[in-house]
Amino acid sequence: MTKTLPATDAVNGHAASTSVNLLYLLRTVDSLSITSDLERAQLISATRSFLARIQSPWETIRSHLVDSPAVQLSLKVCMDLGLFQKWKDAGNGEKTAAELAVIAGCDEELLHRFLRHLAVEHLLAEVTSGTYAQTDFTMAMCTPHFGAWPLYMHETVLDTWKAMPGVLAERGYKDDALSVTDGAFQAAHHTAGQSIFDFFATNPSRAKTFNNAMTGYGAEKCSWLDIYPTDDLLDGAIDGPLLVDVGGNIGHDIEKFRKRHLNTAPRLVLQDLPAVVETAICADDVRIMPHNFFEPQPILHARAYYLHSVLHDWPDVNALHILNNLKPAMKKHYSKLLLNEIVILDKISASSPQVTSFDLAMMGLCAAQERTESMWRALLDQAGLKVIKIWTSEIAVESIIEAEIA
Ligand SMILES: C[S@@+](CC[C@H](N)C(=O)[O-])C[C@H]1O[C@@H](n2cnc3c(N)ncnc32)[C@H](O)[C@@H]1O
């Protein structure tokens, strides 16, 4: 990518300046020019940092505080109208705002205001003035797992964040002033006394959106199978249960394992709350088991117990409770505990913003948090477990913490 501008495009006949070359690159590079996920991750990170360096304070305010919330709003309205799916069903061609309003069943000028914002943010393609085409992004919104995100953010996370400053002020900005059943989520949704998961258990449509959103969260990211050498689990495994996915939701991770390691299905167990596993997507021969992880683990001596984004939902006291219920099922020198979790780096500015935004979501939704390496080590140590290795990948936000009985 060291192309320079043709001489005719140089400014005032002088050699092209750095910013002119950069402009050329920015206008010509697309996803096809990028050869690996690592290169793409590095480009995104460098672009974010570049924007922060060149934007004025007002441009930064506008982009983060005005433009992004307006995207959230526009998407939510378009999704409520079923626009992208109806557009796809109608053949997916280029359409004017008037044609889209007919498809969506709404007022043209009203719809057009939301379409314009999505187009200006390059989420929708503007073919000619007032005519639009779907993008990879809007097509992704037609899938249940990505399409759940505008709704999940709107009805669960943004409401919670809106209530959070008031709740924190009332409680004196103390780190331990929020609890699992009495925090910002409960203040926003008037559900004091219920954890977010108790709430989902009695609100099936909200739970469905959450479960879909969790599938979407895992859909494109670097798979845990590409971070941790799962072949090693099979190599040392004796007969009996191979992998228990604890709090495995509807089974997206265990399905990835089953597809990679054919013929292992009868030795795989998916556990989650009863209402969640009822909608599991696993192959028939995977064992699907309702199980509350605050009770003793019933599957004994499995080769591995895998928990993905589970402990980050709970403060230390509850996380310890989960581990204490799991550890007696583990066989010393054989069973492994695999935690697929964010490990906050010391130098945070090198991380994805997901690390910190998820941390703040955990604060509001569950009075919980993402953890640094030393926090993970201390938690596991308290449970009588020792870290064997923390597996990482340059393209993954999460790490696999491999632990055994100490
Ligand atoms: C953040 S989600 C992660 C789900 C899944 N491991 C993944 O990575 O997509 C946390 C999961 O914990 C489950 N969960 C919450 N409380 C539970 C409990 N007491 N026992 C078992 N599972 C529970 C939820 O239903 C949810 O599926």
Side-chain angles (χ1 to χ4, degrees):
M1 283 187 218
T2 50
K3 277 186 195 164
T4 52
L5 272 180
T8 48
D9 287 353
V11 178
N12 297 330
H14 297 295
S17 69
T18 306
S19 62
V20 174
N21 277 331
L22 201 50
L23 260 181
Y24 175 78
L25 282 178
L26 289 174
R27 285 176 181 154
T28 51
V29 170
D30 61 17
S31 61
L32 298 177
S33 331
I34 298 168
T35 54
S36 71
D37 284 344
L38 177 58
E39 194 178 82
R40 207 165 51 79
Q42 287 170 336
L43 279 170
I44 291 170
S45 169
T47 307
R48 294 178 61 86
S49 134
F50 167 69
L51 278 178
R53 287 196 304 277
I54 66 161
Q55 280 180 334
S56 71
W58 165 246
E59 285 161 343
T60 305
I61 290 168
R62 204 210 58 227
S63 154
H64 289 295
L65 305 187
V66 187
D67 304 349
S68 292
V71 166
Q72 166 71 36
L73 169 68
S74 305
L75 275 180
K76 175 71 173 58
V77 172
C78 289
M79 293 300 288
D80 287 350
L81 289 166
L83 175 72
F84 307 122
Q85 184 61 51
K86 289 176 182 169
W87 189 350
K88 185 177 167 201
D89 295 344
N92 235 354
E94 296 169 3
K95 298 256 180 271
T96 62
E99 288 167 332
L100 290 174
V102 172
I103 288 177
C106 68
D107 181 75
E108 175 192 339
E109 201 33 55
L110 180 106
L111 179 66
H112 205 172
R113 292 164 72 178
F114 297 112
L115 298 178
R116 283 190 194 107
H117 190 60
L118 295 178
V120 90
E121 291 284 2
H122 305 285
L123 301 177
L124 192 61
E126 184 183 35
V127 185
T128 56
S129 173
T131 302
Y132 300 97
Q134 300 238 53
T135 59
D136 287 350
F137 172 77
T138 56
M139 292 300 285
M141 287 291 110
C142 299
T143 63
H145 55 276
F146 286 129
W149 274 92
L151 181 58
Y152 172 58
M153 288 304 294
H154 180 84
E155 67 185 12
T156 299
V157 183
L158 297 179
D159 280 8
T160 297
W161 276 344
K162 194 168 171 216
M164 210 152 111
V167 173
L168 292 177
E170 268 167 29
R171 302 185 191 184
Y173 298 104
K174 298 226 167 53
D175 211 23
D176 57 0
L178 307 178
S179 80
V180 167
T181 54
D182 184 20
F185 174 82
Q186 288 74 18
H189 299 89
H190 312 290
T191 56
Q194 273 195 321
S195 76
I196 187 171
F197 296 109
D198 298 331
F199 173 80
F200 285 147
T202 50
N203 287 275
S205 77
R206 298 283 291 267
K208 187 175 173 199
T209 304
F210 172 74
N211 294 339
N212 277 332
M214 286 306 100
T215 308
Y217 170 52
E220 270 185 7
K221 70 179 177 182
C222 173
S223 163
W224 72 285
L225 303 170
D226 297 324
I227 306 174
Y228 181 78
T230 46
D231 284 342
D232 292 4
L233 291 180
L234 289 147
D235 283 349
I238 51 176
D239 285 346
L242 184 61
L243 179 71
V244 185
D245 189 350
V246 183
N249 200 253
I250 56 175
H252 28 261
D253 276 353
I254 212 153
E255 269 302 278
K256 285 180 190 156
F257 185 93
R258 184 188 68 79
K259 286 179 182 154
R260 173 82 60 95
H261 300 290
L262 299 174
N263 306 320
T264 58
R267 299 171 66 201
L268 309 181
V269 184
L270 171 71
Q271 296 178 337
D272 206 296
L273 293 168
V276 179
V277 290
E278 245 174 49
T279 59
I281 52 155
C282 298
D284 287 348
D285 37 2
V286 170
R287 183 166 173 194
I288 295 174
M289 177 184 252
H291 170 61
N292 176 354
F293 49 47
F294 290 109
E295 289 171 7
Q297 172 57 245
I299 302 289
L300 304 181
H301 300 179
R303 176 70 167 134
Y305 297 88
Y306 170 79
L307 286 79
H308 182 189
S309 302
V310 167
L311 297 185
H312 85 153
D313 288 339
W314 301 94
D316 279 2
V317 60
N318 307 76
L320 204 51
H321 196 166
I322 295 170
L323 293 173
N324 286 338
N325 274 298
L326 183 54
K327 192 181 144 208
M330 293 174 70
K331 183 173 172 186
K332 196 162 180 172
H333 304 310
Y334 177 69
S335 298
K336 292 184 179 299
L337 175 71
L338 301 176
L339 303 179
N340 188 350
E341 292 280 4
I342 285 172
V343 177
I344 301 180
L345 296 177
D346 292 339
K347 188 169 186 312
I348 193 65
S349 56
S351 305
S352 155
Q354 184 194 314
V355 171
T356 42
S357 56
F358 273 40
D359 183 51
L360 297 176
M362 291 311 115
M363 184 192 285
L365 298 175
C366 333
Q369 65 190 126
E370 305 300 347
R371 294 176 170 89
T372 61
E373 181 174 337
S374 56
M375 291 162 106
W376 281 118
R377 285 183 185 276
L379 181 69
L380 289 166
D381 191 50
Q382 279 188 75
L385 295 157
K386 66 170 183 233
V387 174
I388 304 297
K389 179 167 174 170
I390 300 184
W391 299 81
T392 57
S393 157
E394 280 182 292
I395 53 167
V397 175
E398 289 156 327
S399 306
I400 307 282
I401 304 168
E402 176 184 350
E404 288 181 359
I405 294 180

